[in-house]
Amino acid sequence: MTDTSKSLEMHPQGWGDPAAATPLPESARGLIELAFGVDRRPAVDHVELPASGLAPGLLDGLRELLGDEHVLADDATRRLRTRGKSTPDLLKARAGDLSDAPDAVVRPDGHDQVAAVLAYAVEHHLAVVPFGGGTSVTGGLAARREGYAGLISLDLIRMKRLLSVDQVSMTATLEPGLRGPEAEALLAEQGLTLGHYPQSFEFATIGGFAATRSSGQSSAGYGRFDALVMGLRVATPRGEMVLGSSPANAAGPDLRQLLLGSEGTFGVITAVTVRVRRLPAVKVYEGWRWPSFVEGAAAMRHLAQAGLLPTVLRLSDEAETSINLARPDAIGGESAGGCMMIAGYEGDPEIVEARRSVVTAILTGLGGENLGEEPGQSWAHGRFNAPYLRDALLDAGVLVETLETVTFWSNTDRLYADVKAALEASLGEGTIVLCHLSHVYETGCSLYFTVAAKQGDDPLGQWLDAKAAASDAIIDAGASITHHHAVGTDHKPWLAQEIGPLGVSVLRAVKADLDPTGILNPGVLIP
Ligand SMILES: Cc1cc2nc3c(=O)[nH]c(=O)nc-3n(C[C@H](O)[C@H](O)[C@H](O)COP(=O)(O)OP(=O)(O)OC[C@H]3O[C@@H](n4cnc5c(N)ncnc54)[C@H](O)[C@@H]3O)c2cc1C
């Protein structure tokens, strides 16, 4: 879980550590051949980057601020800071389209250097894209460059310190460039954990989690990232903001919430104070089988409303269960049928035991079948592996992508049916749509869809159409365009519908105040 030895740079055309590239399991290969036929679509080898358009004088100015070695304009570095890791991002990279490459990558160390870069960017009208782990799946790193003297990627890779720990209040202040495993390793030295495990955990950063209001697989127990944040330090073009001087207060609207989820458009987060927990002595994960998705979902709602959530709780629908998506090592293998639920418990042994026994009694009473620890441990073991399979699927001619949304319990059946229908209608016969409930609350839950279809001649256009149809269905059903992937550039039109013209106007007003010349992530988040 805290392995920091993995390569720090991801594959430029795919997900994760190139050394960990995963071929499709034999069982999955058979399934794909059956469903889609075989149609190899390898990525192009040779990619040409547009030349850096930054005037040499501007590069020199940045070098004076940060030192020569921390201002990079070589193709290899710029390529690694081009866009994020959505399937459209990968399809473009695989086709050799790197037109969003930054003109230069700057690597400040510390708040003051970030502030200096922002001041320089304002003076010379450079667009600035804060870059954490580069795992955005909503186009959050594809800022607009037209109208600017250049576009620079502000890479937070050097800002990786644990700045302070308060063992009495149980808080820790972390720098934004720490990736998930690095933050956990530093906290573990103090006997602490953050407990934030999104599927992108290995590469995503503390600053990125805050900037996108991320949610992890253990959020039922530890809380969403925005709920873990106690304080923020932010560098804006107008100066510094330091927010969060108390655990809770009534001092007007909570401005931390304005910065959380601001996706680099209001400022650069340079430090995050988070709530931490003692390292759990015990971690147990187990599987449950439900006769149907509806019954499993009702059981989740029951637990959430009784205040008895385990640390991890997720439920696959019949289709996702039948191909074993919850267990990447077993995809395409024989399935137990019904709907698979994973329940996990972390903490002190007596607390884990007490919670587990009461949850077990409730789930059994509601008709669940306990499958024991093997499926749960297998899920936990492979929990970060599934994204590696996407590259192999794209190679095999399969269009594969995920999307997520969230709604109230009373609306989940409609939302589930409408999104599924929209995706199937757009992508056509043979499309596979899988779903799981990924996060649960007392009042509702998040639905996470995985879609697979045969790639046509224009897989990018094919996906953009399907995504637009699904997004329309989400908004028409009264749900949110995103539970945890954030807005980026991809969700902007639907954000505008979700928050209405007045909401858009408030966002624009805040942007105009904090970033009056509009240098920060132009075109991202704000409609
Ligand atoms: C395979 C895969 C699985 C994923 N699973 C999950 C999941 O389980 N849960 C989840 O919540 N998300 C998930 N995501 C989405 C993604 O990992 C999150 O959005 C993550 O929080 C982004 O962090 P990052 O450090 O990679 O940020 P980046 O991708 O580098 O940046 C994201 C946005 O935040 C801005 N930004 C980054 N750092 C800062 C900063 N310090 N200050 C201001 N702005 C900043 C960027 O400009 C950009 O707009 C997944 C993505 C992938 C590819």
Side-chain angles (χ1 to χ4, degrees):
M1 192 71 71
T2 50
D3 176 13
T4 52
S5 64
K6 292 214 170 210
S7 159
L8 279 182
E9 294 296 352
M10 283 195 268
H11 193 298
Q13 291 170 318
W15 172 253
D17 179 355
T22 312
L24 288 175
E26 225 18 77
S27 47
R29 191 171 294 281
L31 186 77
I32 284 154
E33 286 180 19
L34 200 67
F36 306 116
V38 184
D39 180 15
R40 301 275 312 152
R41 297 285 184 100
V44 300
D45 285 338
H46 179 72
V47 287
E48 197 101 348
L49 253 76
S52 168
L54 214 57
L58 293 177
L59 268 183
D60 291 343
L62 289 163
R63 287 185 171 130
E64 266 171 43
L65 290 179
L66 304 182
D68 286 2
E69 65 277 35
H70 303 307
V71 178
L72 305 161
D74 62 283
D75 282 2
T77 309
R78 290 167 55 225
R79 184 180 178 193
L80 288 168
R81 296 294 173 265
T82 305
R83 307 192 188 102
K85 294 294 176 187
S86 67
T87 292
D89 291 339
L90 298 192
L91 287 171
K92 286 179 195 165
R94 291 166 61 90
D97 169 5
L98 295 176
S99 52
D100 290 318
D103 293 305
V105 177
V106 302
R107 296 185 166 159
D109 189 12
H111 178 93
D112 292 347
Q113 286 200 349
V114 171
V117 170
L118 294 187
Y120 189 84
V122 169
E123 189 185 342
H124 298 282
H125 204 51
L126 295 172
V128 178
V129 180
F131 191 100
T135 68
S136 167
V137 280
T138 54
L141 298 161
R144 199 183 63 238
R145 64 176 65 229
E146 292 76 31
Y148 294 86
L151 182 146
I152 57 174
S153 171
L154 191 152
D155 189 352
L156 293 149
I157 197 164
R158 291 171 68 209
M159 295 175 61
K160 287 179 180 285
R161 281 163 288 242
L162 171 58
L163 295 172
S164 64
V165 173
D166 179 344
Q167 290 268 5
V168 177
S169 311
M170 293 295 282
T171 63
T173 301
L174 299 156
E175 283 196 319
L178 283 163
R179 296 180 188 226
E182 295 167 338
E184 285 293 348
L186 286 172
L187 290 170
E189 287 171 13
Q190 314 275 331
L192 302 171
T193 182
L194 179 58
H196 187 66
Y197 298 110
Q199 199 180 39
S200 52
F201 169 74
E202 293 169 294
F203 292 92
T205 61
I206 294 295
F209 295 148
T212 60
R213 297 174 61 209
S214 165
S215 193
Q217 294 169 343
S218 311
S219 291
Y222 291 97
R224 296 167 56 91
F225 197 79
D226 48 14
L228 298 176
V229 173
M230 297 288 111
L232 293 169
R233 187 176 187 197
V234 184
T236 83
R238 291 274 315 282
E240 176 186 19
M241 283 181 92
V242 180
L243 300 166
S245 56
S246 53
N249 62 60
D254 188 345
L255 292 179
R256 284 173 305 186
Q257 296 302 330
L258 203 56
L259 270 303
L260 289 166
S262 62
E263 301 185 42
T265 61
F266 294 164
V268 180
I269 297 164
T270 57
V272 186
T273 300
V274 285
R275 171 186 180 181
V276 288
R277 310 314 213 287
R278 301 267 171 239
L279 272 174
V282 178
K283 292 185 178 188
V284 192
Y285 308 101
E286 57 188 15
W288 287 82
R289 182 163 48 220
W290 294 88
S292 70
F293 197 40
V294 171
E295 284 159 282
M300 288 172 109
R301 175 165 59 87
H302 186 101
L303 288 180
Q305 293 176 346
L308 289 170
L309 284 176
T311 314
V312 173
L313 190 64
R314 42 199 291 126
L315 174 75
S316 295
D317 72 355
E318 288 84 354
E320 188 169 294
T321 303
S322 75
I323 70 156
N324 283 320
L325 198 69
R327 305 169 62 187
D329 55 329
I331 287 175
E334 212 167 294
S335 141
C339 288
M340 171 73 87
M341 174 189 278
I342 302 293
Y345 308 84
E346 298 181 9
D348 291 338
E350 55 285 3
I351 298 196
V352 163
E353 220 22 71
R355 178 59 56 113
R356 191 179 176 192
S357 79
V358 69
V359 170
T360 300
I362 291 173
L363 294 184
T364 307
L366 291 171
E369 179 191 352
N370 191 324
L371 303 175
E373 290 184 29
E374 196 279 325
Q377 300 299 2
S378 159
W379 167 81
H381 179 70
R383 65 198 285 191
F384 305 125
N385 294 349
Y388 286 94
L389 292 176
R390 177 172 51 165
D391 300 320
L393 287 165
L394 291 174
D395 277 345
V398 181
L399 178 66
V400 59
E401 180 59 308
T402 62
L403 60 90
E404 43 77 50
T405 174
V406 57
T407 194
F408 294 105
W409 285 115
S410 56
N411 195 36
T412 48
D413 291 352
R414 172 183 173 192
L415 182 63
Y416 174 65
D418 288 2
V419 173
K420 229 175 141 169
L423 289 165
E424 285 166 354
S426 176
L427 288 164
E429 213 179 311
T431 299
I432 297 176
V433 182
L434 317 172
C435 181
H436 65 259
L437 303 190
S438 60
H439 300 85
V440 279
Y441 305 93
E442 283 176 45
T443 50
C445 66
S446 146
L447 281 70
Y448 187 96
F449 293 88
T450 302
V451 189
K454 189 175 167 57
Q455 284 183 35
D457 293 339
D458 172 19
L460 180 59
Q462 201 184 348
W463 175 250
L464 295 181
D465 287 348
K467 170 80 179 182
S471 301
D472 286 344
I474 286 170
I475 295 298
D476 289 349
S480 175
I481 191 62
T482 176
H483 170 263
H484 58 266
H485 281 169
V487 175
T489 47
D490 300 357
H491 288 154
K492 267 195 327 175
W494 294 278
L495 174 72
Q497 295 180 54
E498 187 170 327
I499 63 175
L502 203 49
V504 171
S505 150
V506 170
L507 287 181
R508 287 183 184 162
V510 176
K511 171 83 173 168
D513 195 19
L514 292 177
D515 179 21
T517 60
I519 55 151
L520 278 167
N521 253 352
V524 171
L525 175 64
I526 299 168

